[in-house]
Amino acid sequence: MSAPQEILLAEPRGFCAGVDRAIEIVERAIQKFGAPIYVRHEIVHNTYVVNDLKAKGAIFIEELSDVPPGSTLVFSAHGVSRAVQQEAEQRGFSIFDATCPLVTKVHVEVAKLAKEGYEFIMIGHKGHPEVEGTMGQLDHGIHLVEDVADVARVQPSQTEKLAVVTQTTLSVDDAAEITAAVRARFPSVREPKQQDICYATQNRQDAVKVLSPQVDVLVVVGSPTSSNSNRLRELAARLGTAAYMVDSADELRTEWFDGAVRVGLTAGASAPEILVQQVIDRIKALGAVSVRTMSGIEETIKFPLPKGLKIDAATGLEITQRNPETGPGAH
Ligand code: 0CM
Ligand code: SF4
């Protein structure tokens, strides 16, 4: 059997702006307030990231009743429901919200249209924390559909004011198909001006579409809980390329590369580049001699940190709301 000769790296791959920001919020909160910092749910769906932050002093919980009074609490990148937000406030925690601004944008849209009398069809995966957070912006009137079959079953109480929203990390193609089914059943449904699927999800899927036909096997670095990472593996498989997802280089199996000359490699939006490099080292040990990065969209988007955790790049001082420069408000 021939061994792999070349590794082709997808571009873009790995961390997105929302993940960068969420991790930085936890790290800065630990620096500023000291350990432990409590985080509701995995800050992002990645085992390495979560273990690294645990080692630095983060404690991950699912239930707010597990957070001691007076603690600092961070909400994960996937967002929370109104009920969770309210409970955290009632318990008096000091809260930092690491919800990705692109998820918050969907929450804001849901709240705004609900005030205008809209009911919603949400396309997403049942049980995913982002879906629970977005659906939990309302007490009622938001209906989940996971696939085209669900669209035929959904029963809104009226159809004049109906809007569609989606989870940010879906398969772009599946979401388009399900949205078309919603449109066919409810022709006047209101759709987002810009799709709710985020730029990072779109760009990583586009890169896999370019890469897959050029490789014999594709490896996706990502954790099993990560929706966007799973979608990358699934997409390559649908395109006819053997594709595997690994949480770390240890999970690679040599038989995947039997007869493979070119190996494609990408990473979900929550998977750190260090894991990609470890996977490269393992595949190189099997014989791959060259690593080539595909050309792709350059992502420059960056999201600001929440108030209270911002640092002025020039002075190294914390930026406060009262005095954003270097005056008495900074310390
Ligand atoms: O939503 P998903 O499961 O893909 O989350 P993730 O933590 O893997 O990726 C980043 C995000 C968000 C929201
Ligand atoms: Fe935000 Fe998209 Fe990244 Fe999720 S994958 S954190 S929605 S940019």
Coordinates of all heavy atoms in Angstrom, one line a residue, residues 71-150:
S71 N -20.1 34.2 42.9 CA -19.1 33.8 41.9 C -19.2 34.7 40.7 O -20.2 35.4 40.4 CB -19.3 32.4 41.5 OG -19.2 31.5 42.6
T72 N -18.1 34.6 39.9 CA -18.1 35.2 38.5 C -18.5 34.1 37.6 O -17.9 33.0 37.7 CB -16.7 35.8 38.2 OG1 -16.4 36.8 39.1 CG2 -16.7 36.3 36.8
L73 N -19.4 34.4 36.7 CA -20.0 33.4 35.8 C -19.9 33.8 34.3 O -20.2 35.0 34.0 CB -21.5 33.1 36.1 CG -22.2 32.2 35.2 CD1 -21.8 30.7 35.3 CD2 -23.7 32.3 35.5
V74 N -19.4 33.0 33.5 CA -19.3 33.3 32.0 C -20.3 32.4 31.3 O -20.4 31.2 31.5 CB -17.9 33.0 31.5 CG1 -17.8 33.3 30.0 CG2 -16.9 33.9 32.2
F75 N -21.1 33.0 30.4 CA -22.0 32.2 29.5 C -21.2 31.8 28.3 O -20.4 32.6 27.7 CB -23.2 33.1 29.0 CG -24.2 33.4 30.1 CD1 -24.8 34.7 30.1 CD2 -24.5 32.6 31.1 CE1 -25.7 35.1 31.1 CE2 -25.4 32.9 32.1 CZ -26.0 34.2 32.1
S76 N -21.4 30.6 27.8 CA -20.6 30.0 26.7 C -21.0 30.8 25.4 O -21.9 31.5 25.3 CB -20.9 28.5 26.5 OG -22.1 28.3 25.8
A77 N -20.2 30.5 24.3 CA -20.3 31.1 23.0 C -21.7 30.9 22.4 O -22.1 31.6 21.5 CB -19.2 30.7 22.1
H78 N -22.3 29.8 22.8 CA -23.6 29.3 22.2 C -24.8 30.1 22.6 O -25.8 30.0 22.0 CB -23.7 27.8 22.4 CG -22.5 27.1 22.3 ND1 -21.7 26.8 23.3 CD2 -21.8 26.6 21.2 CE1 -20.6 26.2 22.9 NE2 -20.6 26.1 21.6
G79 N -24.6 30.9 23.7 CA -25.7 31.7 24.2 C -26.6 31.0 25.2 O -26.6 29.8 25.3
V80 N -27.5 31.8 25.9 CA -28.4 31.2 26.8 C -29.8 31.7 26.6 O -30.0 32.8 26.0 CB -28.0 31.5 28.3 CG1 -26.6 30.9 28.6 CG2 -27.9 33.0 28.6
S81 N -30.8 31.0 27.2 CA -32.2 31.5 27.2 C -32.4 32.6 28.1 O -31.5 32.9 29.0 CB -33.1 30.3 27.6 OG -32.8 30.0 29.0
R82 N -33.5 33.3 28.0 CA -33.9 34.4 28.9 C -34.0 33.8 30.3 O -33.6 34.5 31.3 CB -35.3 34.9 28.5 CG -35.2 35.8 27.3 CD -35.1 37.3 27.8 NE -34.7 38.1 26.7 CZ -35.6 38.8 26.0 NH1 -36.9 38.8 26.3 NH2 -35.2 39.6 25.0
A83 N -34.5 32.6 30.5 CA -34.7 32.0 31.8 C -33.3 31.8 32.5 O -33.2 32.1 33.7 CB -35.4 30.7 31.7
V84 N -32.3 31.4 31.8 CA -31.0 31.2 32.3 C -30.4 32.6 32.7 O -29.8 32.7 33.8 CB -30.1 30.4 31.4 CG1 -28.6 30.4 31.8 CG2 -30.6 29.0 31.2
Q85 N -30.5 33.5 31.8 CA -30.0 34.9 32.1 C -30.7 35.4 33.3 O -30.0 36.0 34.2 CB -30.4 35.8 30.9 CG -30.2 37.3 31.0 CD -28.8 37.7 30.7 OE1 -28.2 37.2 29.7 NE2 -28.2 38.5 31.5
Q86 N -32.0 35.3 33.4 CA -32.7 35.8 34.6 C -32.3 35.1 35.9 O -32.1 35.7 36.9 CB -34.2 35.8 34.4 CG -34.7 36.9 33.5 CD -36.1 36.6 32.9 OE1 -36.7 35.6 33.3 NE2 -36.5 37.4 31.9
E87 N -32.2 33.8 35.8 CA -31.8 33.1 37.0 C -30.4 33.5 37.5 O -30.1 33.7 38.7 CB -31.8 31.5 36.8 CG -31.6 30.7 38.0 CD -31.4 29.2 37.8 OE1 -31.8 28.7 36.7 OE2 -30.9 28.6 38.7
A88 N -29.5 33.7 36.5 CA -28.1 34.1 36.9 C -28.1 35.4 37.6 O -27.4 35.7 38.5 CB -27.2 34.1 35.6
E89 N -28.9 36.3 37.0 CA -29.0 37.7 37.6 C -29.6 37.6 39.0 O -29.1 38.2 40.0 CB -29.9 38.6 36.8 CG -29.1 39.0 35.5 CD -30.0 39.7 34.5 OE1 -31.2 40.0 34.8 OE2 -29.5 39.9 33.3
Q90 N -30.7 36.8 39.2 CA -31.3 36.6 40.5 C -30.4 36.1 41.5 O -30.4 36.4 42.7 CB -32.6 35.8 40.4 CG -33.8 36.5 40.0 CD -34.9 35.6 39.3 OE1 -34.8 34.4 39.4 NE2 -35.8 36.3 38.7
R91 N -29.5 35.2 41.1 CA -28.6 34.6 42.0 C -27.4 35.5 42.4 O -26.6 35.2 43.2 CB -28.1 33.2 41.5 CG -29.1 32.1 41.5 CD -28.5 30.8 40.9 NE -29.5 29.8 40.9 CZ -29.6 28.8 41.9 NH1 -28.8 28.9 42.9 NH2 -30.5 27.9 41.8
G92 N -27.4 36.6 41.7 CA -26.4 37.7 42.0 C -25.0 37.5 41.5 O -24.1 38.1 42.0
F93 N -24.8 36.6 40.5 CA -23.5 36.4 40.0 C -23.0 37.6 39.3 O -23.8 38.4 38.7 CB -23.4 35.2 39.1 CG -24.0 33.9 39.7 CD1 -24.9 33.1 39.0 CD2 -23.5 33.5 40.9 CE1 -25.4 31.9 39.5 CE2 -24.0 32.3 41.5 CZ -24.9 31.5 40.8
S94 N -21.7 37.7 39.2 CA -21.1 38.7 38.3 C -20.9 38.0 37.0 O -20.2 37.0 36.8 CB -19.7 39.1 38.9 OG -19.0 39.9 38.1
I95 N -21.6 38.6 36.0 CA -21.8 37.8 34.7 C -21.0 38.4 33.6 O -21.0 39.6 33.4 CB -23.3 37.8 34.3 CG1 -24.1 37.1 35.4 CG2 -23.4 37.1 32.9 CD1 -25.6 37.4 35.2
F96 N -20.3 37.6 32.8 CA -19.7 38.0 31.6 C -20.3 37.1 30.5 O -20.3 35.9 30.6 CB -18.1 37.9 31.6 CG -17.5 38.9 32.5 CD1 -17.1 38.6 33.8 CD2 -17.4 40.2 32.0 CE1 -16.6 39.6 34.6 CE2 -16.9 41.2 32.8 CZ -16.5 40.9 34.1
D97 N -20.8 37.7 29.4 CA -21.5 37.0 28.4 C -20.6 36.8 27.2 O -20.2 37.7 26.5 CB -22.7 37.8 28.0 CG -23.6 37.0 27.1 OD1 -23.3 35.9 26.7 OD2 -24.7 37.6 26.7
A98 N -20.2 35.5 27.0 CA -19.3 35.2 25.9 C -20.1 34.7 24.7 O -19.5 34.1 23.7 CB -18.3 34.1 26.3
T99 N -21.4 34.9 24.7 CA -22.2 34.5 23.5 C -21.7 35.2 22.3 O -21.4 36.4 22.3 CB -23.7 35.0 23.7 OG1 -24.2 34.5 24.9 CG2 -24.6 34.6 22.6
C100 N -21.5 34.5 21.2 CA -20.9 35.1 20.0 C -21.9 36.2 19.5 O -23.1 36.0 19.5 CB -20.8 34.0 18.9 SG -20.3 34.7 17.4
P101 N -21.4 37.3 19.2 CA -22.2 38.4 18.7 C -23.1 38.0 17.5 O -24.2 38.6 17.4 CB -21.2 39.5 18.3 CG -20.0 39.2 19.1 CD -20.0 37.7 19.3
L102 N -22.7 37.0 16.8 CA -23.6 36.5 15.6 C -24.7 35.7 16.1 O -25.8 35.6 15.4 CB -22.7 35.8 14.6 CG -21.6 36.7 14.0 CD1 -20.8 35.9 13.0 CD2 -22.2 37.9 13.4
V103 N -24.6 35.1 17.3 CA -25.7 34.4 17.9 C -26.7 35.4 18.6 O -27.9 35.4 18.4 CB -25.3 33.3 19.0 CG1 -26.4 32.7 19.7 CG2 -24.4 32.3 18.3
T104 N -26.0 36.4 19.2 CA -26.8 37.5 19.9 C -27.7 38.2 18.8 O -28.8 38.6 19.1 CB -25.9 38.5 20.6 OG1 -25.1 37.8 21.5 CG2 -26.7 39.6 21.3
K105 N -27.1 38.4 17.6 CA -27.9 39.0 16.5 C -29.2 38.3 16.3 O -30.2 38.9 16.0 CB -27.0 39.0 15.3 CG -27.5 39.8 14.1 CD -26.5 39.8 13.0 CE -27.3 39.4 11.7 NZ -26.6 38.5 10.8
V106 N -29.1 37.0 16.3 CA -30.3 36.2 16.0 C -31.3 36.4 17.2 O -32.5 36.5 17.0 CB -30.0 34.7 15.8 CG1 -31.3 33.9 15.6 CG2 -29.0 34.5 14.7
H107 N -30.8 36.4 18.4 CA -31.6 36.6 19.6 C -32.4 37.9 19.5 O -33.6 38.0 19.8 CB -30.8 36.6 20.9 CG -30.2 35.3 21.3 ND1 -29.6 35.1 22.5 CD2 -30.2 34.1 20.7 CE1 -29.1 33.8 22.6 NE2 -29.5 33.2 21.5
V108 N -31.6 39.0 19.1 CA -32.2 40.3 19.0 C -33.3 40.3 17.9 O -34.4 40.9 18.1 CB -31.1 41.3 18.7 CG1 -31.6 42.7 18.3 CG2 -30.1 41.5 19.9
E109 N -33.0 39.7 16.8 CA -34.0 39.6 15.7 C -35.3 38.9 16.2 O -36.4 39.4 15.9 CB -33.4 38.9 14.5 CG -34.2 38.8 13.3 CD -34.3 40.2 12.5 OE1 -33.8 41.2 13.0 OE2 -35.0 40.2 11.5
V110 N -35.1 37.8 16.9 CA -36.3 37.1 17.4 C -37.1 38.0 18.4 O -38.4 38.1 18.2 CB -35.9 35.8 18.1 CG1 -37.0 35.2 19.0 CG2 -35.4 34.7 17.1
A111 N -36.4 38.6 19.3 CA -37.1 39.5 20.3 C -37.9 40.6 19.5 O -39.0 41.0 19.9 CB -36.2 40.0 21.3
K112 N -37.2 41.2 18.5 CA -37.8 42.4 17.8 C -39.0 41.9 17.0 O -40.1 42.6 17.2 CB -36.7 42.9 16.9 CG -37.1 44.3 16.3 CD -36.1 44.7 15.2 CE -36.7 44.4 13.8 NZ -35.9 44.5 12.7
L113 N -38.9 40.9 16.3 CA -40.1 40.4 15.5 C -41.2 39.9 16.3 O -42.4 40.0 16.0 CB -39.6 39.4 14.4 CG -38.7 39.9 13.3 CD1 -38.3 38.8 12.4 CD2 -39.4 41.0 12.5
A114 N -40.9 39.3 17.5 CA -41.9 38.8 18.4 C -42.8 39.9 18.9 O -44.0 39.8 19.0 CB -41.3 38.0 19.5
K115 N -42.1 41.1 19.1 CA -42.9 42.3 19.6 C -43.8 42.7 18.5 O -44.9 43.3 18.8 CB -41.9 43.4 19.9 CG -41.3 43.3 21.3 CD -40.9 44.7 21.8 CE -40.1 44.5 23.1 NZ -38.7 44.7 23.0
E116 N -43.5 42.5 17.2 CA -44.4 42.8 16.1 C -45.4 41.8 15.8 O -46.1 41.9 14.8 CB -43.5 43.1 14.8 CG -42.5 44.2 14.9 CD -41.6 44.3 13.7 OE1 -42.0 43.8 12.6 OE2 -40.5 44.9 13.9
G117 N -45.4 40.7 16.6 CA -46.5 39.7 16.5 C -46.1 38.5 15.7 O -46.9 37.7 15.3
Y118 N -44.8 38.4 15.4 CA -44.3 37.2 14.6 C -44.2 35.9 15.4 O -43.9 35.9 16.6 CB -42.9 37.5 14.0 CG -43.0 38.3 12.7 CD1 -43.1 39.6 12.7 CD2 -43.1 37.6 11.5 CE1 -43.2 40.4 11.5 CE2 -43.1 38.3 10.3 CZ -43.2 39.7 10.3 OH -43.3 40.4 9.1
E119 N -44.5 34.8 14.8 CA -44.2 33.5 15.3 C -43.0 33.0 14.4 O -42.8 33.4 13.3 CB -45.4 32.6 15.0 CG -45.8 31.7 16.2 CD -47.1 31.1 16.0 OE1 -48.2 31.8 16.0 OE2 -47.2 29.9 15.8
F120 N -42.3 32.0 14.9 CA -41.0 31.6 14.3 C -41.0 30.1 14.0 O -41.4 29.3 14.8 CB -39.8 31.9 15.2 CG -39.7 33.4 15.4 CD1 -40.4 34.0 16.5 CD2 -38.9 34.2 14.6 CE1 -40.3 35.3 16.7 CE2 -38.9 35.6 14.8 CZ -39.6 36.1 15.9
I121 N -40.3 29.8 12.9 CA -39.8 28.5 12.6 C -38.3 28.5 12.7 O -37.6 29.3 12.0 CB -40.3 28.0 11.2 CG1 -41.8 27.8 11.2 CG2 -39.6 26.7 10.8 CD1 -42.4 27.4 9.9
M122 N -37.8 27.7 13.7 CA -36.3 27.7 13.9 C -35.8 26.4 13.3 O -36.2 25.3 13.6 CB -35.9 27.8 15.3 CG -34.5 27.5 15.5 SD -33.7 28.3 17.0 CE -32.0 28.3 16.4
I123 N -34.8 26.6 12.4 CA -34.1 25.4 11.8 C -32.8 25.1 12.6 O -32.0 26.0 12.8 CB -33.7 25.6 10.3 CG1 -35.0 26.0 9.5 CG2 -33.0 24.4 9.7 CD1 -34.7 26.5 8.1
G124 N -32.8 23.9 13.2 CA -31.6 23.7 14.1 C -31.6 22.2 14.6 O -32.5 21.5 14.2
H125 N -30.6 21.9 15.4 CA -30.5 20.6 16.0 C -31.1 20.6 17.4 O -30.6 21.3 18.3 CB -29.1 20.1 16.0 CG -28.5 20.1 14.6 ND1 -28.9 19.2 13.6 CD2 -27.5 20.8 14.0 CE1 -28.2 19.4 12.5 NE2 -27.3 20.4 12.7
K126 N -32.1 19.7 17.6 CA -32.7 19.6 18.9 C -31.7 19.3 20.0 O -30.8 18.5 19.8 CB -33.7 18.4 18.9 CG -34.6 18.4 20.1 CD -35.8 17.5 19.8 CE -36.7 17.6 21.0 NZ -37.6 16.5 21.2
G127 N -31.8 20.0 21.1 CA -30.9 19.8 22.3 C -29.6 20.5 22.2 O -28.8 20.6 23.2
H128 N -29.3 21.1 21.0 CA -28.0 21.9 20.9 C -28.2 23.2 21.8 O -29.3 23.8 21.8 CB -27.7 22.3 19.5 CG -26.4 22.9 19.3 ND1 -26.1 24.2 19.6 CD2 -25.2 22.4 18.9 CE1 -24.8 24.5 19.3 NE2 -24.3 23.4 18.9
P129 N -27.2 23.6 22.6 CA -27.3 24.7 23.5 C -27.7 26.0 22.7 O -28.4 26.9 23.3 CB -26.0 24.9 24.1 CG -25.0 24.1 23.3 CD -25.8 23.0 22.7
E130 N -27.2 26.2 21.5 CA -27.6 27.4 20.8 C -29.1 27.4 20.5 O -29.7 28.5 20.6 CB -26.8 27.6 19.5 CG -27.1 28.9 18.8 CD -26.4 29.0 17.4 OE1 -25.3 28.5 17.3 OE2 -27.0 29.7 16.6
V131 N -29.6 26.3 20.1 CA -31.0 26.2 19.8 C -31.9 26.4 21.1 O -32.8 27.2 21.0 CB -31.3 24.8 19.2 CG1 -32.8 24.5 19.1 CG2 -30.7 24.7 17.8
E132 N -31.4 25.9 22.2 CA -32.1 26.1 23.5 C -32.1 27.6 23.8 O -33.1 28.2 24.3 CB -31.5 25.3 24.6 CG -31.8 23.8 24.4 CD -31.2 22.9 25.4 OE1 -30.4 23.3 26.2 OE2 -31.5 21.7 25.4
G133 N -30.9 28.2 23.6 CA -30.8 29.7 23.9 C -31.6 30.5 23.0 O -32.3 31.4 23.5
T134 N -31.7 30.3 21.7 CA -32.4 31.1 20.8 C -33.9 30.8 21.0 O -34.7 31.8 21.1 CB -32.0 30.8 19.3 OG1 -30.6 31.1 19.2 CG2 -32.8 31.6 18.3
M135 N -34.3 29.6 21.1 CA -35.8 29.3 21.3 C -36.2 29.9 22.7 O -37.4 30.3 22.8 CB -36.0 27.8 21.3 CG -35.8 27.3 19.8 SD -36.3 25.6 19.6 CE -38.1 25.7 19.7
G136 N -35.3 29.9 23.6 CA -35.6 30.4 24.9 C -35.6 31.9 25.1 O -35.7 32.4 26.2
Q137 N -35.5 32.6 23.9 CA -35.7 34.0 24.0 C -37.2 34.4 24.1 O -37.6 35.5 24.4 CB -35.2 34.7 22.7 CG -33.6 34.6 22.5 CD -32.9 35.1 23.8 OE1 -33.0 36.2 24.2 NE2 -32.1 34.2 24.3
L138 N -38.0 33.3 23.8 CA -39.5 33.5 23.9 C -40.1 32.4 24.7 O -39.6 31.3 24.8 CB -40.1 33.4 22.4 CG -39.6 34.4 21.4 CD1 -40.3 34.1 20.1 CD2 -39.8 35.9 21.8
D139 N -41.3 32.8 25.3 CA -42.0 31.7 26.1 C -42.7 30.8 25.2 O -43.0 29.6 25.6 CB -43.0 32.4 27.0 CG -42.3 33.2 28.1 OD1 -41.1 32.9 28.4 OD2 -42.9 34.2 28.6
H140 N -43.2 31.3 24.0 CA -43.9 30.4 23.1 C -43.8 31.0 21.7 O -43.3 32.1 21.5 CB -45.4 30.3 23.5 CG -46.0 31.7 23.7 ND1 -46.5 32.4 22.6 CD2 -46.2 32.4 24.8 CE1 -47.0 33.5 23.1 NE2 -46.8 33.6 24.4
G141 N -44.3 30.3 20.7 CA -44.4 30.8 19.4 C -43.1 30.6 18.6 O -42.9 31.3 17.6
I142 N -42.3 29.7 19.0 CA -41.1 29.4 18.2 C -41.0 27.9 18.1 O -41.0 27.1 19.1 CB -39.8 30.0 18.8 CG1 -38.6 29.8 17.9 CG2 -39.5 29.7 20.2 CD1 -37.5 30.9 18.1
H143 N -41.0 27.4 16.8 CA -41.2 26.0 16.5 C -39.9 25.4 15.9 O -39.5 26.0 14.9 CB -42.4 25.7 15.6 CG -43.6 26.5 16.0 ND1 -44.5 25.9 16.9 CD2 -44.1 27.7 15.7 CE1 -45.5 26.8 17.1 NE2 -45.2 27.9 16.4
L144 N -39.4 24.3 16.4 CA -38.1 23.8 15.9 C -38.4 22.8 14.7 O -39.3 21.9 14.8 CB -37.4 23.0 17.0 CG -36.0 22.4 16.6 CD1 -35.0 23.5 16.2 CD2 -35.5 21.6 17.7
V145 N -37.7 23.0 13.6 CA -37.7 21.9 12.6 C -36.2 21.5 12.3 O -35.3 22.3 12.3 CB -38.3 22.4 11.2 CG1 -39.8 22.7 11.4 CG2 -37.6 23.6 10.6
E146 N -36.0 20.2 12.3 CA -34.7 19.7 12.1 C -34.4 19.2 10.7 O -33.3 19.2 10.2 CB -34.4 18.5 13.0 CG -34.4 18.8 14.5 CD -33.9 17.7 15.3 OE1 -34.6 16.8 15.7 OE2 -32.7 17.7 15.6
D147 N -35.5 19.0 9.9 CA -35.3 18.5 8.6 C -36.6 18.8 7.8 O -37.6 19.3 8.3 CB -35.0 17.0 8.5 CG -36.0 16.2 9.3 OD1 -37.2 16.6 9.4 OD2 -35.6 15.1 9.9
V148 N -36.6 18.4 6.5 CA -37.7 18.7 5.6 C -39.0 18.1 6.1 O -40.1 18.6 6.0 CB -37.4 18.3 4.1 CG1 -38.6 18.3 3.2 CG2 -36.3 19.2 3.6
A149 N -38.9 16.8 6.6 CA -40.1 16.1 7.1 C -40.7 16.9 8.2 O -42.0 16.9 8.3 CB -39.7 14.7 7.6
D150 N -39.9 17.5 9.1 CA -40.5 18.3 10.2 C -41.3 19.5 9.7 O -42.3 19.9 10.3 CB -39.4 18.9 11.1 CG -38.8 17.8 12.0 OD1 -39.4 16.8 12.2 OD2 -37.8 18.1 12.6

